Amino acid sequence: MNTLFDKIWDAHVVQKLDGGPQQLYIDRLYCHEVTSPQAFDGLRQRGIRCLRPEKIFCMPDHNTPTHNQDKPIQDPVSKKQVDTLSANAAEFGLTHYGMTDPRNGIIHVVGPERGLSLPGMTIVCGDSHTSTHGAVGAIAFGIGTSEVEMVMASQCILQQKPKSMRINVEGKLGKGVTAKDIALFLMKEMTTSGATGFFVEYAGEAVRSLSMEGRLTLCNLSIEMGARGGFIAPDEITFEYLKGREFAPKGADWDQAVAFWRTLRSDEDAVFDREITIRAADITPMITYGTNPGMGMAIDASIPAEATPKALDYMGFQAGEKLLGKPVDYVFLGACTNGRAEDFRAFASVVKGRRKADNVIAWLVPGSWEVLRQVKEEGLDQVLEAAGFEIRQPGCSACLAMNEDKIPAGKYCVSTSNRNFEGRQGPGARTILSSPLTAAAAAVCGVITDPRTLL
């Protein structure tokens, strides 16, 4: 009668404190440059080392520029953070993939693609979108800086066990509907606090039909519903994706691992604290109109009458109006949400044989050097360049205003990233979240466009 969440969590509990949190063993800690410096300082002050350095992987991503990465970073704050991570990793004997290392990229893209994130694991990082790694069938969640230090020192963390929720998306997805649209639809239905206190298991025919990259997108956005994390039971799609990757088991170890991974599923009679079923047929291409990811609607719908006036004022929109046909200034393809090869394929499928609109500035940013390699290997770079697009170097880029890629105040950006908060992409920037297909449609039409009309 156990859920998959119970099975993985309970197998990692080292100790239970009466009436308090549980001590949870952590299989993998990821560190980037933003939330780790204070944790390393804490270890230094206590005169201790990392307990299991081989379980910890470091790489810069938030502050990295997306061009001229072979030259010194111009912004002094960004440079200091990136340099500090490199120095800390060297001092504490940790694996570090620096800026131009072919294994570098956004940490939540690199983990799965290198086979560092595996089914049945517990995975943490000082970053809310750590839930991405749940797509491989792991319990993955973001933690605070003091908790990062705790894991470095003990390979364990004190946590209250969340409640469990299952979201079933049943039926087949319609034309032009992607994993990003599923996530935006769920946030619209449940709001950005609808899953607070829960760990979400995604299930159902539509979820099982998603590629691994689509599943990574869906799990990435779990945190935007307020969930502690989200994950998907591993299956043949998972195993096929992981096989042969650098850190995945090999030979007889692989066969043994897959045999165990096949047991990682919720029991038929498992009882969840909450269960929700959504019809895939109800989901269309989605777009946001407000200042949190839950303020979304079908791309051909009108902004609802109950929309928050403050959000509409910031965005320059009005209740009752449609967004179709609204001019766009910027388009951003990338982030740990949609910066994978599949996302570039989707974008290229729309722009092929067309030209970028003159009024649009487009930033196409792969989530890792491996993604960039795939894009070139498949010839997608030639398709994109023929349509007037330039591919930048890997990094978090315009997902958040911590590097050079900032959207100017008042400008509209159709973005494949995960958050549309006020100022998220730059002071005064206006962010409209969408799938790569919808972003591509806006890029070639110059206005918000239903991608189904171009497919």
Side-chain angles (χ1 to χ4, degrees):
M1 288 180 59
N2 284 331
T3 66
L4 175 54
F5 178 71
D6 288 330
K7 292 178 183 179
I8 299 175
W9 182 281
D10 294 349
H12 286 79
V13 172
V14 177
Q15 186 181 16
K16 292 182 181 178
L17 304 180
D18 288 341
Q22 301 180 359
Q23 187 182 11
L24 193 71
Y25 181 79
I26 299 302
D27 294 307
R28 183 81 67 220
L29 168 65
Y30 294 121
C31 288
H32 56 59
E33 74 277 23
V34 180
T35 54
S36 64
Q38 299 90 337
F40 284 111
D41 285 343
L43 294 185
R44 244 180 240 111
Q45 287 162 15
R46 293 155 65 192
I48 58 177
R49 308 287 294 174
C50 296
L51 179 70
R52 297 198 168 157
E54 73 280 2
K55 305 283 187 186
I56 304 172
F57 286 75
C58 308
M59 66 200 78
D61 52 13
H62 284 56
N63 288 275
T64 56
T66 56
H67 52 84
N68 297 328
Q69 286 192 11
D70 56 328
K71 296 181 174 64
I73 298 174
Q74 294 301 305
D75 178 64
V77 176
S78 293
K79 185 177 190 311
K80 183 174 184 184
Q81 288 198 313
V82 171
D83 290 348
T84 300
L85 178 64
S86 176
N88 281 332
E91 180 184 340
F92 286 88
L94 306 179
T95 302
H96 175 260
Y97 299 150
M99 214 158 55
T100 54
D101 189 306
R103 297 163 297 184
N104 174 260
I106 303 173
I107 215 158
H108 306 314
V109 174
V110 173
E113 80 180 6
R114 301 229 76 82
L116 285 164
S117 303
L118 297 170
M121 276 187 166
T122 50
I123 300 169
V124 295
C125 174
D127 185 280
S128 56
H129 293 104
T130 307
S131 57
T132 310
H133 306 266
V136 302
I139 288 179
F141 54 94
I143 56 176
T145 298
S146 60
E147 294 171 310
V148 171
E149 182 184 339
M150 196 187 294
V151 177
M152 286 176 172
S154 68
Q155 208 56 39
C156 291
I157 191 173
L158 289 173
Q159 286 285 296
Q160 294 283 0
K161 185 179 181 181
K163 294 181 286 187
S164 60
M165 177 190 293
R166 181 160 64 190
I167 298 178
N168 306 293
V169 187
E170 296 294 356
K172 291 182 165 50
L173 295 172
K175 179 182 177 182
V177 177
T178 70
K180 181 66 163 286
D181 300 304
I182 298 175
L184 290 173
F185 181 85
L186 290 173
M187 286 183 268
K188 174 181 82 77
E189 294 295 303
M190 297 176 59
T191 77
T192 51
S193 60
T196 301
F198 291 90
F199 223 95
V200 175
E201 177 178 349
Y202 298 101
E205 181 188 358
V207 173
R208 289 192 299 273
S209 75
L210 293 175
S211 67
M212 201 64 221
E213 305 203 339
R215 296 177 185 193
L216 289 160
T217 296
L218 180 59
C219 290
N220 173 272
L221 288 153
S222 305
I223 191 75
E224 309 305 341
M225 297 188 296
R228 197 71 184 89
F231 68 104
I232 296 167
D235 58 14
E236 297 305 321
I237 289 173
T238 320
F239 311 148
E240 186 60 35
Y241 172 87
L242 291 171
K243 190 171 188 179
R245 294 189 183 268
E246 184 181 356
F247 288 92
K250 305 288 190 298
D253 290 342
W254 169 261
D255 297 334
Q256 191 176 351
V258 171
F260 166 62
W261 295 343
R262 289 189 200 282
T263 70
L264 295 178
R265 54 191 60 257
S266 293
D267 296 335
E268 289 292 326
D269 52 358
V271 178
F272 292 80
D273 294 299
R274 190 177 176 201
E275 187 151 15
I276 295 166
T277 298
I278 303 283
R279 289 187 342 134
D282 293 339
I283 307 173
T284 62
M286 298 285 295
I287 201 155
T288 61
Y289 58 82
T291 52
N292 75 48
M295 296 180 184
M297 63 183 189
I299 192 162
D300 54 358
S302 301
I303 296 174
E306 65 273 15
T308 311
K310 181 176 181 287
L312 294 186
D313 184 56
Y314 180 85
M315 293 298 293
F317 296 148
Q318 292 181 336
E321 73 173 334
K322 289 182 178 288
L323 293 190
L324 283 178
K326 285 271 183 192
V328 170
D329 304 299
Y330 285 77
V331 166
F332 170 52
L333 173 69
C336 58
T337 316
N338 285 120
R340 298 176 184 84
E342 179 175 284
D343 304 309
F344 276 78
R345 281 183 216 117
F347 195 97
S349 73
V350 172
V351 307
K352 186 174 185 179
R354 298 183 168 99
R355 288 288 299 173
K356 180 182 77 65
D358 291 339
N359 61 300
V360 171
I361 294 171
W363 292 337
L364 277 50
V365 186
S368 70
W369 287 99
E370 174 62 21
V371 171
L372 182 58
R373 187 193 66 76
Q374 282 179 271
V375 164
K376 290 181 174 178
E377 190 177 87
E378 295 177 24
L380 298 175
D381 57 329
Q382 293 167 31
V383 172
L384 295 166
E385 284 163 17
F389 295 93
E390 175 204 349
I391 301 174
R392 297 165 86 92
Q393 292 177 321
C396 290
S397 185
C399 175
L400 78 175
M402 289 186 73
N403 52 70
E404 296 167 7
D405 299 351
K406 295 179 178 69
I407 307 301
K411 298 296 185 183
Y412 289 101
C413 178
V414 174
S415 175
T416 66
S417 52
N418 40 51
R419 289 182 173 159
N420 53 343
F421 304 154
E422 291 188 20
R424 169 78 175 180
Q425 292 191 292
R430 292 163 161 172
T431 303
I432 298 164
L433 299 179
S434 81
S435 74
L437 292 176
T438 301
V444 291
C445 295
V447 298
I448 293 173
T449 303
D450 188 333
R452 293 171 296 190
T453 63
L454 302 183
L455 293 175

